[in-house]
Amino acid sequence: MAGGESQTPVTLSDRELQIIDLVAAGLTNQEIAGKLEISKRTVDNHISNILTKTQTENRVALVRWALQWGKVCLNDVNCCILPNQNE
């Protein structure tokens, strides 16, 4: 896959998923910090950890990964709710 995106599922915390959603929305680390009421340094650390876990090299590759794995919804793209396979 282009950009070094991971081909295997990755376990992310709720906070990491929240940060990915804000990155996908185009917020800077400083804006994310303000929105979540945490320090920019904490956001920097979260994003570094997320990039490592997802094997992505930058924010663009991270958003591509998040779209591929259904972790974010952008402008009604990738927003369908998949049926529960246990039903």
Side-chain angles (χ1 to χ4, degrees):
M1 169 128 317
E5 293 144 358
S6 174
Q7 290 291 313
T8 58
V10 173
T11 302
L12 297 167
S13 70
D14 289 341
R15 178 62 98 187
E16 289 170 331
L17 292 171
Q18 189 177 30
I19 288 174
I20 290 171
D21 192 49
L22 295 172
V23 168
L27 274 64
T28 65
N29 289 12
Q30 188 65 51
E31 291 167 333
I32 293 169
K35 188 166 188 79
L36 299 180
E37 298 180 350
I38 59 178
S39 75
K40 180 186 172 294
R41 174 84 174 148
T42 299
V43 174
D44 294 343
N45 287 335
H46 278 304
I47 291 179
S48 178
N49 292 338
I50 293 165
L51 293 176
T52 298
K53 285 182 178 183
T54 59
Q55 299 176 14
T56 53
E57 297 175 5
N58 55 53
R59 295 165 83 92
V60 172
L62 174 61
V63 172
R64 287 175 44 97
W65 176 91
L67 286 167
Q68 174 190 0
W69 288 98
K71 303 297 184 185
V72 296
C73 171
L74 295 174
N75 300 326
D76 295 329
V77 173
N78 210 41
C79 299
C80 64
I81 298 173
L82 298 176
N84 187 342
Q85 293 183 0
N86 295 332
E87 292 180 344

